[in-house]
Coordinates of all heavy atoms in Angstrom, one line a residue:
M262 N -22.6 -6.4 -22.8 CA -23.4 -6.1 -21.6 C -23.5 -4.6 -21.4 O -22.4 -3.9 -21.4 CB -22.8 -6.8 -20.4 CG -23.6 -6.6 -19.1 SD -25.3 -7.1 -19.2 CE -25.1 -8.9 -19.6
R263 N -24.6 -4.1 -21.1 CA -24.9 -2.7 -21.0 C -25.0 -2.3 -19.5 O -25.7 -3.1 -18.7 CB -26.1 -2.3 -21.7 CG -26.1 -0.9 -22.3 CD -27.2 -0.7 -23.3 NE -26.8 -0.8 -24.7 CZ -26.2 0.2 -25.3 NH1 -26.0 1.3 -24.8 NH2 -25.8 0.0 -26.6
C264 N -24.4 -1.3 -19.1 CA -24.4 -0.8 -17.7 C -25.8 -0.3 -17.4 O -26.4 0.5 -18.1 CB -23.4 0.3 -17.5 SG -23.5 1.0 -15.9
P265 N -26.4 -0.8 -16.3 CA -27.7 -0.3 -15.9 C -27.7 1.1 -15.3 O -28.7 1.7 -15.2 CB -28.2 -1.3 -14.8 CG -26.9 -1.9 -14.2 CD -25.9 -1.8 -15.3
N266 N -26.5 1.5 -15.0 CA -26.4 2.9 -14.4 C -26.2 4.0 -15.4 O -27.0 5.0 -15.4 CB -25.2 2.9 -13.4 CG -25.1 4.1 -12.6 OD1 -26.2 4.6 -12.0 ND2 -24.0 4.7 -12.5
C267 N -25.3 3.8 -16.3 CA -25.0 4.9 -17.3 C -25.3 4.4 -18.8 O -25.2 5.2 -19.7 CB -23.6 5.4 -17.2 SG -22.4 4.2 -17.6
G268 N -25.6 3.1 -19.0 CA -25.9 2.7 -20.3 C -24.7 2.4 -21.2 O -24.9 2.1 -22.4
D269 N -23.5 2.5 -20.7 CA -22.3 2.3 -21.5 C -22.2 0.8 -21.7 O -22.5 0.0 -20.8 CB -21.1 2.8 -20.7 CG -19.9 3.0 -21.6 OD1 -19.3 2.0 -22.0 OD2 -19.6 4.2 -21.9
D270 N -21.7 0.4 -22.9 CA -21.6 -1.0 -23.1 C -20.1 -1.6 -23.0 O -19.9 -2.7 -23.4 CB -22.2 -1.4 -24.5 CG -21.5 -0.8 -25.7 OD1 -20.6 0.1 -25.5 OD2 -21.9 -1.1 -26.8
R271 N -19.3 -0.8 -22.5 CA -17.9 -1.3 -22.3 C -17.7 -1.9 -20.9 O -16.9 -1.4 -20.1 CB -16.9 -0.1 -22.5 CG -16.8 0.3 -24.0 CD -16.0 1.6 -24.0 NE -16.6 2.7 -23.3 CZ -16.1 3.9 -23.0 NH1 -14.8 4.1 -23.4 NH2 -16.7 4.8 -22.4
C272 N -18.5 -2.9 -20.6 CA -18.4 -3.5 -19.3 C -17.5 -4.8 -19.4 O -17.5 -5.5 -20.4 CB -19.8 -3.9 -18.8 SG -20.8 -2.4 -18.6
I273 N -16.8 -5.0 -18.4 CA -16.0 -6.2 -18.3 C -16.5 -7.2 -17.3 O -17.0 -6.8 -16.2 CB -14.5 -5.9 -18.1 CG1 -14.3 -5.0 -16.9 CG2 -13.8 -5.3 -19.3 CD1 -12.9 -4.9 -16.3
I274 N -16.3 -8.5 -17.5 CA -16.8 -9.5 -16.6 C -15.6 -9.9 -15.7 O -14.5 -10.0 -16.1 CB -17.4 -10.7 -17.3 CG1 -18.2 -11.6 -16.3 CG2 -16.4 -11.5 -18.1 CD1 -19.2 -12.5 -16.9
V275 N -15.9 -9.9 -14.4 CA -14.8 -10.3 -13.4 C -15.4 -11.5 -12.5 O -16.5 -11.6 -12.3 CB -14.3 -9.2 -12.5 CG1 -13.5 -8.2 -13.3 CG2 -15.5 -8.5 -11.9
E276 N -14.4 -12.3 -12.0 CA -14.8 -13.3 -11.1 C -14.1 -13.1 -9.8 O -12.9 -12.8 -9.7 CB -14.4 -14.7 -11.7 CG -15.1 -15.8 -11.0 CD -14.7 -17.2 -11.7 OE1 -13.6 -17.6 -11.4 OE2 -15.5 -17.7 -12.4
E277 N -14.9 -13.3 -8.7 CA -14.4 -13.0 -7.4 C -14.7 -14.3 -6.6 O -15.8 -14.8 -6.6 CB -15.1 -11.8 -6.8 CG -14.5 -11.3 -5.5 CD -15.3 -10.1 -5.0 OE1 -16.5 -10.3 -4.7 OE2 -14.8 -9.0 -5.0
S278 N -13.7 -14.7 -5.8 CA -14.0 -15.8 -4.9 C -14.0 -15.4 -3.5 O -13.2 -14.5 -3.1 CB -12.9 -16.9 -5.1 OG -11.6 -16.4 -4.9
E279 N -14.9 -15.9 -2.7 CA -15.1 -15.5 -1.3 C -15.2 -16.7 -0.5 O -15.9 -17.7 -0.8 CB -16.4 -14.7 -1.3 CG -16.7 -14.1 0.1 CD -18.0 -13.3 0.0 OE1 -18.1 -12.2 -0.5 OE2 -19.1 -13.9 0.4
T280 N -14.5 -16.7 0.6 CA -14.5 -17.9 1.5 C -15.5 -17.7 2.6 O -15.6 -16.7 3.3 CB -13.1 -18.0 2.2 OG1 -12.1 -18.0 1.2 CG2 -13.0 -19.3 2.9
N281 N -16.3 -18.6 2.7 CA -17.4 -18.6 3.7 C -17.2 -19.6 4.8 O -17.1 -20.8 4.6 CB -18.7 -18.9 3.0 CG -19.9 -18.8 3.9 OD1 -19.8 -18.3 5.0 ND2 -21.1 -19.1 3.4
Q282 N -17.0 -19.0 6.0 CA -16.7 -19.9 7.2 C -17.8 -19.9 8.2 O -17.7 -20.5 9.2 CB -15.4 -19.4 7.8 CG -14.2 -19.9 7.1 CD -12.9 -19.5 7.8 OE1 -12.7 -18.4 8.2 NE2 -12.0 -20.5 8.0
K283 N -18.9 -19.3 7.8 CA -20.0 -19.2 8.8 C -20.8 -20.5 8.7 O -20.9 -21.2 7.8 CB -21.0 -18.1 8.4 CG -20.4 -16.7 8.9 CD -21.3 -15.6 8.6 CE -21.2 -15.1 7.1 NZ -22.0 -14.0 6.9
G284 N -21.5 -20.8 9.8 CA -22.4 -22.0 9.9 C -21.7 -23.3 10.3 O -22.3 -24.3 10.3
Y285 N -20.4 -23.2 10.6 CA -19.7 -24.4 11.0 C -19.2 -24.2 12.5 O -19.0 -23.1 12.9 CB -18.5 -24.7 10.1 CG -18.9 -25.2 8.8 CD1 -19.0 -24.3 7.7 CD2 -19.3 -26.5 8.5 CE1 -19.5 -24.7 6.5 CE2 -19.7 -26.9 7.3 CZ -19.8 -26.0 6.3 OH -20.2 -26.4 5.0
G286 N -18.8 -25.3 13.1 CA -18.1 -25.2 14.4 C -18.9 -25.7 15.6 O -19.7 -26.7 15.5
L287 N -18.9 -24.9 16.6 CA -19.4 -25.3 17.9 C -20.9 -25.7 17.9 O -21.3 -26.7 18.4 CB -19.1 -24.2 18.9 CG -19.1 -24.6 20.4 CD1 -18.0 -25.7 20.6 CD2 -18.8 -23.4 21.3
G288 N -21.6 -24.8 17.3 CA -23.1 -25.1 17.3 C -23.4 -26.4 16.6 O -24.2 -27.2 17.2
K289 N -22.7 -26.7 15.6 CA -23.0 -28.0 14.9 C -22.5 -29.1 15.8 O -23.2 -30.2 15.8 CB -22.1 -28.0 13.6 CG -22.6 -29.0 12.6 CD -21.8 -28.8 11.3 CE -22.2 -29.9 10.3 NZ -21.3 -29.9 9.1
G290 N -21.4 -29.0 16.5 CA -20.9 -30.0 17.4 C -21.9 -30.3 18.5 O -22.2 -31.4 18.8
C291 N -22.5 -29.3 19.0 CA -23.5 -29.4 20.1 C -24.7 -30.2 19.6 O -25.2 -31.1 20.2 CB -24.0 -28.1 20.6 SG -22.7 -27.3 21.6
C292 N -25.2 -29.9 18.4 CA -26.3 -30.6 17.8 C -26.0 -32.0 17.6 O -26.8 -32.9 17.9 CB -26.7 -29.9 16.5 SG -27.5 -28.3 16.6
G293 N -24.8 -32.3 17.1 CA -24.3 -33.6 16.9 C -24.3 -34.4 18.2 O -24.7 -35.6 18.3
Y294 N -23.9 -33.7 19.3 CA -23.8 -34.4 20.6 C -25.2 -34.7 21.1 O -25.4 -35.8 21.6 CB -23.1 -33.5 21.6 CG -22.8 -34.1 22.9 CD1 -21.7 -35.0 23.0 CD2 -23.6 -34.0 24.0 CE1 -21.4 -35.6 24.2 CE2 -23.4 -34.6 25.2 CZ -22.2 -35.4 25.3 OH -22.0 -36.0 26.5
L295 N -26.1 -33.8 20.9 CA -27.5 -34.1 21.4 C -28.1 -35.3 20.7 O -28.9 -36.0 21.3 CB -28.3 -32.8 21.2 CG -28.1 -31.7 22.2 CD1 -28.8 -30.4 21.8 CD2 -28.4 -32.1 23.6
I296 N -27.9 -35.4 19.4 CA -28.5 -36.4 18.6 C -27.8 -37.7 18.7 O -28.4 -38.8 18.9 CB -28.6 -35.9 17.1 CG1 -29.5 -34.7 17.1 CG2 -29.2 -37.0 16.3 CD1 -29.4 -33.9 15.8
L297 N -26.5 -37.7 18.6 CA -25.7 -38.9 18.4 C -24.8 -39.2 19.6 O -24.1 -40.2 19.6 CB -24.9 -38.9 17.1 CG -25.7 -38.7 15.8 CD1 -24.7 -38.3 14.7 CD2 -26.4 -40.0 15.5
G298 N -24.7 -38.3 20.6 CA -23.8 -38.5 21.7 C -22.4 -38.2 21.3 O -22.1 -37.4 20.4
P299 N -21.4 -38.8 22.0 CA -20.0 -38.5 21.7 C -19.5 -38.6 20.3 O -18.7 -37.8 19.8 CB -19.2 -39.5 22.6 CG -20.2 -39.9 23.6 CD -21.6 -39.8 23.0
I300 N -20.1 -39.5 19.6 CA -19.7 -39.7 18.2 C -20.2 -38.5 17.4 O -19.4 -37.9 16.5 CB -20.4 -41.0 17.6 CG1 -19.9 -42.2 18.3 CG2 -20.0 -41.1 16.1 CD1 -20.8 -43.4 18.1
G301 N -21.3 -38.0 17.7 CA -21.8 -36.8 17.0 C -21.0 -35.6 17.3 O -20.8 -34.7 16.4
W302 N -20.5 -35.5 18.6 CA -19.7 -34.4 19.0 C -18.4 -34.4 18.1 O -18.0 -33.4 17.7 CB -19.4 -34.6 20.5 CG -18.4 -33.6 21.0 CD1 -17.1 -33.8 21.4 CD2 -18.7 -32.2 21.3 NE1 -16.6 -32.7 21.8 CE2 -17.5 -31.6 21.8 CE3 -19.8 -31.4 21.1 CZ2 -17.3 -30.3 22.2 CZ3 -19.6 -30.0 21.5 CH2 -18.5 -29.5 22.0
V303 N -17.8 -35.6 18.0 CA -16.6 -35.7 17.2 C -16.8 -35.3 15.7 O -16.1 -34.5 15.1 CB -16.0 -37.1 17.3 CG1 -14.8 -37.3 16.3 CG2 -15.5 -37.4 18.7
C304 N -17.9 -35.7 15.2 CA -18.3 -35.4 13.8 C -18.5 -33.9 13.7 O -18.0 -33.3 12.7 CB -19.6 -36.1 13.4 SG -19.4 -37.8 13.2
G305 N -19.1 -33.3 14.7 CA -19.3 -31.8 14.7 C -17.9 -31.1 14.7 O -17.7 -30.1 14.0
L306 N -17.0 -31.6 15.5 CA -15.7 -31.0 15.6 C -14.9 -31.1 14.2 O -14.2 -30.3 13.9 CB -14.9 -31.6 16.7 CG -15.3 -31.3 18.1 CD1 -14.4 -32.0 19.1 CD2 -15.2 -29.8 18.4
C307 N -15.2 -32.2 13.6 CA -14.5 -32.4 12.3 C -14.9 -31.4 11.3 O -14.2 -31.0 10.4 CB -14.9 -33.8 11.7 SG -14.1 -35.2 12.6
G308 N -16.2 -30.9 11.5 CA -16.7 -29.8 10.6 C -16.0 -28.5 10.8 O -16.1 -27.6 10.0
M309 N -15.4 -28.3 12.0 CA -14.8 -27.0 12.3 C -13.6 -26.8 11.4 O -12.8 -27.7 11.1 CB -14.3 -27.0 13.8 CG -15.4 -26.9 14.8 SD -14.8 -26.8 16.4 CE -14.2 -25.1 16.5
G310 N -13.4 -25.5 11.1 CA -12.3 -25.1 10.3 C -12.5 -25.4 8.8 O -11.7 -24.9 8.0
K311 N -13.5 -26.1 8.5 CA -13.8 -26.3 7.1 C -14.5 -25.0 6.5 O -15.2 -24.4 7.2 CB -14.8 -27.4 6.9 CG -14.1 -28.8 6.8 CD -15.1 -29.9 6.4 CE -14.4 -31.2 6.4 NZ -15.4 -32.3 6.1
S312 N -14.2 -24.8 5.3 CA -14.8 -23.6 4.7 C -15.0 -24.0 3.2 O -14.3 -24.8 2.6 CB -13.9 -22.4 4.8 OG -12.7 -22.7 4.2
H313 N -16.0 -23.3 2.6 CA -16.1 -23.5 1.2 C -16.0 -22.2 0.5 O -16.4 -21.1 1.0 CB -17.4 -24.3 0.9 CG -18.7 -23.5 1.3 ND1 -19.2 -23.5 2.5 CD2 -19.5 -22.7 0.5 CE1 -20.2 -22.8 2.6 NE2 -20.5 -22.3 1.4
T314 N -15.6 -22.2 -0.7 CA -15.3 -21.0 -1.5 C -16.5 -20.8 -2.4 O -16.9 -21.7 -3.1 CB -14.0 -21.1 -2.2 OG1 -13.0 -21.4 -1.3 CG2 -13.7 -19.8 -2.9
V315 N -17.0 -19.6 -2.3 CA -18.1 -19.2 -3.2 C -17.5 -18.3 -4.3 O -16.8 -17.4 -4.1 CB -19.2 -18.4 -2.4 CG1 -20.4 -18.1 -3.3 CG2 -19.6 -19.2 -1.2
R316 N -17.9 -18.7 -5.5 CA -17.4 -17.9 -6.7 C -18.5 -17.1 -7.2 O -19.6 -17.5 -7.4 CB -16.9 -18.9 -7.8 CG -15.6 -19.5 -7.4 CD -15.1 -20.3 -8.6 NE -13.7 -20.1 -8.8 CZ -13.1 -20.6 -9.9 NH1 -13.8 -21.2 -10.9 NH2 -11.8 -20.4 -10.1
R317 N -18.2 -15.8 -7.4 CA -19.2 -14.9 -7.9 C -18.7 -14.3 -9.2 O -17.5 -13.9 -9.3 CB -19.4 -13.8 -6.9 CG -20.2 -14.3 -5.7 CD -20.3 -13.3 -4.7 NE -21.0 -13.8 -3.5 CZ -21.2 -13.1 -2.4 NH1 -20.9 -11.8 -2.4 NH2 -21.8 -13.6 -1.4
T318 N -19.5 -14.2 -10.1 CA -19.2 -13.4 -11.4 C -20.1 -12.2 -11.5 O -21.3 -12.3 -11.2 CB -19.4 -14.3 -12.6 OG1 -20.0 -15.5 -12.3 CG2 -18.1 -14.6 -13.3
F319 N -19.5 -11.1 -11.8 CA -20.2 -9.9 -12.0 C -19.6 -9.0 -13.0 O -18.4 -9.3 -13.4 CB -20.5 -9.2 -10.7 CG -19.3 -8.9 -9.9 CD1 -18.5 -7.7 -10.1 CD2 -18.8 -9.8 -8.9 CE1 -17.4 -7.5 -9.4 CE2 -17.7 -9.5 -8.2 CZ -17.0 -8.4 -8.4
W320 N -20.3 -8.0 -13.4 CA -19.7 -7.1 -14.4 C -19.3 -5.8 -13.8 O -19.9 -5.4 -12.8 CB -20.8 -6.8 -15.4 CG -21.2 -8.0 -16.3 CD1 -22.1 -9.0 -15.9 CD2 -20.7 -8.4 -17.5 NE1 -22.2 -9.9 -16.9 CE2 -21.4 -9.5 -17.9 CE3 -19.8 -7.8 -18.4 CZ2 -21.1 -10.2 -19.1 CZ3 -19.6 -8.4 -19.6 CH2 -20.2 -9.6 -20.0
I321 N -18.3 -5.2 -14.3 CA -17.9 -3.9 -13.9 C -17.9 -2.9 -15.1 O -17.4 -3.2 -16.2 CB -16.5 -3.9 -13.3 CG1 -16.5 -4.6 -11.9 CG2 -15.9 -2.5 -13.1 CD1 -15.2 -4.7 -11.2
C322 N -18.6 -1.8 -14.9 CA -18.7 -0.8 -16.0 C -17.4 0.0 -16.0 O -16.9 0.5 -14.9 CB -19.9 0.1 -15.7 SG -19.9 1.5 -16.9
Q323 N -16.7 0.0 -17.1 CA -15.5 0.8 -17.2 C -15.7 2.3 -17.3 O -14.8 3.1 -17.1 CB -14.7 0.3 -18.4 CG -14.1 -1.1 -18.3 CD -13.1 -1.4 -19.3 OE1 -13.4 -1.4 -20.5 NE2 -11.9 -1.6 -18.9
H324 N -16.9 2.6 -17.5 CA -17.2 4.1 -17.6 C -17.5 4.7 -16.2 O -16.9 5.7 -15.9 CB -18.5 4.3 -18.5 CG -18.8 5.7 -18.7 ND1 -18.1 6.5 -19.6 CD2 -19.8 6.5 -18.2 CE1 -18.7 7.7 -19.6 NE2 -19.7 7.7 -18.7
C325 N -18.4 4.1 -15.5 CA -18.7 4.6 -14.2 C -18.3 3.8 -13.0 O -18.4 4.2 -11.8 CB -20.2 4.9 -14.1 SG -21.2 3.4 -14.0
G326 N -17.8 2.6 -13.3 CA -17.2 1.8 -12.2 C -18.3 1.0 -11.4 O -18.0 0.4 -10.4
R327 N -19.5 1.0 -11.9 CA -20.6 0.3 -11.2 C -20.4 -1.2 -11.4 O -20.2 -1.7 -12.5 CB -21.9 0.7 -11.8 CG -23.0 -0.1 -11.4 CD -24.3 0.7 -11.1 NE -25.3 -0.2 -10.7 CZ -26.5 0.2 -10.2 NH1 -26.6 1.5 -10.0 NH2 -27.4 -0.6 -9.8
K328 N -20.6 -2.0 -10.3 CA -20.7 -3.4 -10.3 C -22.1 -3.9 -10.4 O -23.0 -3.4 -9.7 CB -20.1 -4.0 -9.0 CG -18.6 -3.9 -8.9 CD -18.2 -4.6 -7.6 CE -16.7 -4.6 -7.4 NZ -16.4 -5.2 -6.1
F329 N -22.3 -4.9 -11.2 CA -23.7 -5.4 -11.3 C -23.7 -6.9 -11.7 O -22.7 -7.3 -12.3 CB -24.6 -4.6 -12.2 CG -24.1 -4.5 -13.6 CD1 -24.6 -5.3 -14.6 CD2 -23.1 -3.6 -14.0 CE1 -24.2 -5.3 -15.9 CE2 -22.7 -3.5 -15.3 CZ -23.2 -4.3 -16.3
R330 N -24.7 -7.6 -11.3 CA -24.9 -9.0 -11.7 C -25.7 -9.1 -12.9 O -26.5 -8.2 -13.2 CB -25.5 -9.8 -10.5 CG -24.9 -9.6 -9.2 CD -23.6 -10.4 -9.1 NE -23.8 -11.8 -9.4 CZ -24.1 -12.7 -8.4 NH1 -24.3 -12.3 -7.2 NH2 -24.2 -14.0 -8.8
T331 N -25.6 -10.2 -13.6 CA -26.4 -10.4 -14.8 C -27.8 -10.9 -14.4 O -27.9 -11.6 -13.4 CB -25.8 -11.4 -15.8 OG1 -25.3 -12.5 -15.0 CG2 -24.6 -10.7 -16.5
Ligands
ZN154 ZN1 -21.7 2.6 -16.1

């Protein structure tokens, strides 16, 4: 893989995992309550605290340190 910044081909691939906790919780619980009543509220609460991990792979140039995606 060639670096788009300096053109060096000594790039290494790295994997990074990131935890995403956005989009869950109270808002979802309220929507559940409006649609399904108390059961929906409980379901919404169940979604709280859950998170999913996003894995990202990208390259790092050993020459200039630039990170880039393929
Ligand atoms: Zn570079």
Side-chain angles (χ1 to χ4, degrees):
M262 183 56 63
R263 212 166 260 279
C264 173
N266 191 44
C267 66
D269 201 287
D270 62 356
R271 290 170 298 170
C272 297
I273 50 165
I274 194 161
V275 288
E276 194 176 77
E277 191 181 64
S278 57
E279 185 179 280
T280 311
N281 187 4
Q282 284 185 307
K283 283 184 278 184
Y285 289 96
L287 202 58
K289 200 178 175 185
C291 288
C292 289
Y294 188 81
L295 287 172
I296 298 161
L297 299 165
I300 300 162
W302 175 253
V303 172
C304 290
L306 288 179
C307 289
M309 283 182 79
K311 273 187 183 175
S312 59
H313 63 279
T314 306
V315 184
R316 285 181 138 194
R317 290 175 181 179
T318 8
F319 52 88
W320 294 84
I321 289 179
C322 173
Q323 290 192 298
H324 182 76
C325 69
R327 167 142 181 168
K328 283 184 183 179
F329 59 97
R330 306 286 303 272
T331 45

